[in-house]
Amino acid sequence: MQNFIFHNPTKIIFGRGTVPQIGPETAAFGSRALLVYGRESIKKSGLHGQVMNALANAGVAVAEHGGVSSNPVLSHVRAGIAKVREQRLDVIVAVGGGSVIDTAKAIAAGSAADGDVWDFFIGKKFITAALPITTVLTLAAAGSEMNAGMVITNEAADEKFAATSAQLYPKVSILDPELTFTVPPSYTAYGAADAIAHVLEFYMTNTDDDAPVQMDFMEGLIRNVIASCERCLADPCDFGGRAALMWSATLALNGLTGAGLGGTAFPMHMIEHSLSALYNVPHGAGLAVVVPAWLRWRLRQNPARAARLGQQVFGLAPDAEQAVDALRSWFSKIGCPVSLAELNIPEADIPKIAANAHSLARIWRLQDYTPEIIADILALCR
Amino acid sequence: MQNFIFHNPTKIIFGRGTVPQIGPETAAFGSRALLVYGRESIKKSGLHGQVMNALANAGVAVAEHGGVSSNPVLSHVRAGIAKVREQRLDVIVAVGGGSVIDTAKAIAAGSAADGDVWDFFIGKKFITAALPITTVLTLAAAGSEMNAGMVITNEAADEKFAATSAQLYPKVSILDPELTFTVPPSYTAYGAADAIAHVLEFYMTNTDDDAPVQMDFMEGLIRNVIASCERCLADPCDFGGRAALMWSATLALNGLTGAGLGGTAFPMHMIEHSLSALYNVPHGAGLAVVVPAWLRWRLRQNPARAARLGQQVFGLAPDAEQAVDALRSWFSKIGCPVSLAELNIPEADIPKIAANAHSLARIWRLQDYTPEIIADILALCR
């Protein structure tokens, strides 16, 4: 096990009927909130009204900032920062999935900074302050509700970049699995693929062969994502299934899986970010394509880890190729795309995608991933 | 899965060479520290000097409060509170295992209160404030380094009671596995028994049969405690083994295992506390006696959970009796006592022990445990 620091101060309020707590929990941090959300669906479902009532009852004034898209964009973040400044808001409330929460984080950091918020994503500046953030989660996937990271797309530059800071941990996140009963099968599956990808980045890229607590924990999380996703697809209103998927996805990227593993990297996300940036594919769908391909490429260097994955997650004999086949088949079975063709991305675009991903490789210190190597991996996405 | 709140703000600094960080990490919370520790061993090992230097270098003045015993006592807590008040200290630094950290917590809470600190343990008052606490851990066992609980013995009344408050989470805990290289085999084993008992209290007493994420996590922790304890006994300086045991024991009682399980209880600890209170046996040794007996008694109502334990931890067929046998044999194999006789406690004392435990049953809301039932369980400690 390698040295690590683990310090996750987010308060999780989990379970049925917990949404009204967003009022007093937010009021503890501010009295003038920017409410960030996505599409109109939270108005139809009544969640928007429930949150507005809770905030009003707690004495929190609200300015609204809806319209977050999947693969949330920089221009919308900047518009949110402008609202915060104009109206002197002091707390950000996110109601939605990872895209909404990441937008809220970017607004929170950008509002507390002098320069342009994109400087944080290109590594030009570090985040040293942010407005407090509270969240109501509506999608089991990204893990942003209990971590310090965010991903935003600069749509003018086709760049989907990430930034991290301890300032970005939400103060409070409310996780009511019932809010995900209406998530359609496709996004339920993409969310599961996202959560599995988060675990696999740590599981596959760390070079510490003596971290048994973490390995066991990660294998359990993947098993639980698989089992709970299948329950949710069979019955979208299976509370236990939705609860297990939601909590697994949160734990998959809250810092515990990677604590003690030493150097880890996010090469699968690096490549997927280019698919999302260039073709606006859902992040989890892009990952379902990239993850098996990256694993297959990885086997050339390190088959042992994938073989262990196959044993512990799928109950297979220790065979790395079989493990990758099993994961790819499972992604396909739950309705995820598993090839570029299924994303309607022509193979002729591979050089363009590789060049885009390579620009992120520099920032993420993944320089070993040359455009040629990235193209090799993309060629396996079939 | 049941509703829960998870909010653990302790910062963990884990790994080799991390002890000097106790200086700046403590200085962030105060400039006049009470240094709480146990026996002279930390002076011989050089740890005491290392901590004193780190605190001095960070500008933290230190008053010392050594002499914490295993099964730490109330009189020593009160003496620590008196020092804090007389010398107007503002932060508590614990260097030791669970007994030392629990003493530090009790001093931290008692120093911030008007009345007597024991009121918190008998449920007469709630803890609403405490001085900040930082810790350097020297024993993998109790989990106190990352939780909100404490256990103190009122030696005048033969009462070993517990108290909990969010105020008691240490601000920072430093976990260097190398500090445990010198822990003797017996206490290494007792620590493992303690950690396993912590997991089993949640695993066995919760009535939620749909908490798969937590069940998987708990089984992984028990497997890791077993495997890592064996490594430590085979080679006390096996860093990976010490690290896995330390991190497993911390995770076993930091709130994650029980989050979402709904009502759980600590009946095994309740009974063990009477053994410690009356006979001053090491807590982990007492648990190694009580846990298999309680499990055996429990099978009459709920054999399924123990059967699952046997499958997932010991690779057995689903048979509850076999599972208990396997755990008891393992405790015995690593050098723990597994009967009252091995603790030199006569069976004739069972009524006295049962009466003592029953006084705690009222406070812990375990009224179903009549003196007769507790005596039945104790009769199985053979």
Side-chain angles (χ1 to χ4, degrees):
Chain A
M1 207 182 300
Q2 305 296 308
N3 283 23
F4 68 86
I5 294 174
F6 178 80
H7 186 204
N8 188 322
T10 300
K11 177 180 181 179
I12 297 292
I13 300 177
F14 190 104
R16 289 186 180 89
T18 51
V19 170
Q21 295 184 50
I22 193 66
E25 294 290 343
T26 300
F29 296 100
S31 59
R32 301 175 57 80
L34 184 74
L35 179 65
V36 181
Y37 58 95
R39 298 165 303 156
E40 294 299 298
S41 56
I42 68 161
K43 292 193 175 167
K44 289 181 198 143
S45 71
L47 176 59
H48 179 271
Q50 208 183 353
V51 169
M52 290 292 279
N53 279 343
L55 291 169
N57 289 341
V60 179
V62 174
E64 297 202 44
H65 191 56
V68 176
S69 56
S70 86
N71 298 316
V73 292
L74 180 59
S75 59
H76 192 253
V77 168
R78 286 181 176 144
I81 294 169
K83 283 184 192 172
V84 168
R85 287 182 177 155
E86 282 159 22
Q87 302 182 49
R88 298 177 179 276
L89 309 177
D90 55 12
V91 60
I92 315 291
V93 181
V95 180
S99 299
V100 169
I101 299 173
D102 284 4
T103 296
K105 287 177 173 177
I107 294 170
S111 301
D114 290 332
D116 181 53
V117 67
W118 192 246
D119 289 348
F120 297 134
F121 293 83
I122 55 175
K124 200 166 148 190
K125 280 190 187 170
F126 290 104
I127 298 164
T128 55
L131 293 184
I133 302 154
T134 62
T135 88
V136 176
L137 185 66
T138 61
L139 184 68
S144 187
E145 63 277 8
M146 199 185 182
N147 70 36
M150 58 180 176
V151 179
I152 295 291
T153 297
N154 180 343
E155 68 272 39
D158 286 338
E159 291 171 335
K160 182 176 177 178
F161 285 2
T164 305
S165 163
Q167 303 291 331
L168 297 181
Y169 283 104
K171 300 294 185 191
V172 180
S173 282
I174 291 178
L175 279 59
D176 180 348
E178 290 189 342
L179 298 179
T180 64
F181 282 2
T182 53
V183 175
S186 56
Y187 275 82
T188 300
Y190 303 160
D194 194 14
I196 289 174
H198 290 154
V199 179
L200 285 180
E201 298 275 20
F202 292 109
Y203 190 88
M204 294 299 301
T205 67
N206 86 79
T207 53
D208 188 331
D209 282 321
D210 193 8
V213 184
Q214 293 87 340
M215 294 296 281
D216 220 334
F217 180 49
M218 290 190 281
E219 289 155 359
L221 286 178
I222 298 175
R223 285 192 299 266
N224 273 290
V225 170
I226 289 174
S228 59
C229 178
E230 292 184 356
R231 286 174 63 174
C232 299
L233 293 176
D235 175 3
C237 299
D238 174 348
F239 181 85
R242 291 291 188 184
L245 185 58
M246 186 172 253
W247 191 220
S248 297
T250 299
L251 293 173
L253 198 60
N254 80 340
L256 261 188
T257 54
L261 298 182
T264 56
F266 268 57
M268 297 178 260
H269 277 71
M270 175 185 78
I271 297 172
E272 193 293 317
H273 281 193
S274 292
L275 300 183
S276 287
L278 295 170
Y279 306 96
N280 201 27
V281 303
H283 178 53
L287 283 167
V289 173
V290 172
V291 167
W294 182 88
L295 286 171
R296 190 119 30 221
W297 170 82
R298 179 69 168 178
L299 301 188
R300 297 173 194 166
Q301 300 140 40
N302 184 2
R305 203 59 70 82
R308 176 175 167 154
L309 178 77
Q311 286 182 284
Q312 299 298 325
V313 170
F314 294 104
L316 299 170
D319 180 292
E321 289 282 357
Q322 273 188 45
V324 179
D325 289 343
L327 182 63
R328 188 177 184 277
S329 297
W330 187 76
F331 282 151
S332 190
K333 174 180 146 191
I334 61 170
C336 288
V338 291
S339 66
L340 290 179
E342 286 179 84
L343 291 174
N344 296 315
I345 298 173
E347 292 206 11
D349 283 9
I350 285 179
K352 181 175 78 172
I353 305 166
N356 185 286
H358 185 62
S359 71
L360 192 51
R362 285 198 311 272
I363 296 172
W364 285 13
R365 298 200 191 89
L366 284 165
Q367 288 94 332
D368 290 352
Y369 285 83
T370 61
E372 294 70 32
I373 286 176
I374 298 170
D376 281 352
I377 296 167
L378 287 163
L380 294 169
C381 294
R382 58 168 71 185
Chain B
M1 206 181 301
Q2 306 296 309
N3 283 22
F4 68 86
I5 294 175
F6 178 80
H7 186 204
N8 188 322
T10 300
K11 177 180 183 181
I12 297 291
I13 301 177
F14 189 103
R16 289 186 180 90
T18 51
V19 170
Q21 295 184 50
I22 194 65
E25 295 290 342
T26 300
F29 296 99
S31 60
R32 299 174 58 79
L34 184 74
L35 178 64
V36 181
Y37 58 95
R39 298 165 302 158
E40 295 298 299
S41 56
I42 69 160
K43 293 193 175 166
K44 288 182 200 144
S45 71
L47 176 60
H48 179 271
Q50 209 182 352
V51 169
M52 291 292 280
N53 278 343
L55 292 169
N57 290 340
V60 178
V62 174
E64 298 201 44
H65 191 57
V68 176
S69 57
S70 86
N71 299 314
V73 293
L74 179 59
S75 59
H76 192 251
V77 168
R78 287 180 175 145
I81 294 169
K83 283 184 191 171
V84 168
R85 288 181 175 154
E86 283 159 21
Q87 303 183 47
R88 300 178 178 276
L89 308 178
D90 54 12
V91 60
I92 315 291
V93 181
V95 180
S99 298
V100 169
I101 298 174
D102 284 5
T103 296
K105 287 176 172 176
I107 294 171
S111 301
D114 290 332
D116 181 53
V117 67
W118 193 245
D119 288 349
F120 298 133
F121 293 84
I122 55 175
K124 199 168 150 187
K125 280 192 187 169
F126 290 105
I127 298 164
T128 55
L131 293 185
I133 302 154
T134 61
T135 88
V136 175
L137 184 65
T138 61
L139 184 69
S144 187
E145 63 277 8
M146 198 185 183
N147 70 35
M150 59 180 176
V151 180
I152 295 292
T153 297
N154 181 343
E155 68 272 39
D158 285 339
E159 292 172 334
K160 182 177 177 177
F161 284 4
T164 304
S165 164
Q167 303 292 331
L168 297 181
Y169 284 105
K171 300 295 184 189
V172 180
S173 282
I174 291 177
L175 278 59
D176 180 348
E178 290 189 342
L179 298 180
T180 64
F181 283 2
T182 52
V183 174
S186 57
Y187 275 82
T188 300
Y190 302 160
D194 194 14
I196 288 173
H198 291 153
V199 178
L200 285 179
E201 298 275 21
F202 292 109
Y203 190 89
M204 294 299 303
T205 67
N206 86 79
T207 54
D208 188 331
D209 281 323
D210 193 8
V213 183
Q214 294 86 339
M215 294 297 280
D216 220 335
F217 180 48
M218 290 189 281
E219 289 156 358
L221 286 178
I222 298 174
R223 286 192 298 266
N224 272 289
V225 170
I226 289 174
S228 59
C229 178
E230 292 184 356
R231 286 174 63 174
C232 298
L233 293 176
D235 174 5
C237 300
D238 175 348
F239 181 86
R242 291 292 188 183
L245 185 58
M246 186 172 252
W247 190 221
S248 298
T250 299
L251 292 172
L253 198 60
N254 81 339
L256 262 187
T257 54
L261 298 181
T264 55
F266 268 57
M268 296 178 261
H269 276 71
M270 174 186 77
I271 297 172
E272 193 294 317
H273 282 192
S274 292
L275 300 185
S276 286
L278 295 170
Y279 306 97
N280 200 27
V281 303
H283 178 54
L287 283 167
V289 173
V290 172
V291 167
W294 182 89
L295 285 171
R296 188 120 31 222
W297 171 82
R298 179 68 167 178
L299 301 188
R300 297 172 194 167
Q301 301 141 39
N302 183 3
R305 204 58 69 82
R308 174 174 169 156
L309 178 77
Q311 286 182 284
Q312 299 298 325
V313 170
F314 294 104
L316 298 170
D319 181 288
E321 289 281 358
Q322 272 187 46
V324 179
D325 289 343
L327 182 63
R328 187 177 185 278
S329 297
W330 187 77
F331 282 151
S332 190
K333 174 181 145 191
I334 62 169
C336 287
V338 290
S339 66
L340 290 178
E342 287 178 84
L343 291 174
N344 296 315
I345 298 173
E347 292 205 10
D349 284 9
I350 285 180
K352 180 175 81 173
I353 304 167
N356 185 287
H358 185 61
S359 69
L360 191 51
R362 287 198 311 272
I363 296 173
W364 285 14
R365 297 199 192 90
L366 284 165
Q367 288 94 332
D368 290 352
Y369 285 82
T370 61
E372 294 71 31
I373 286 176
I374 297 170
D376 281 352
I377 296 167
L378 286 164
L380 294 168
C381 295
R382 61 168 71 186

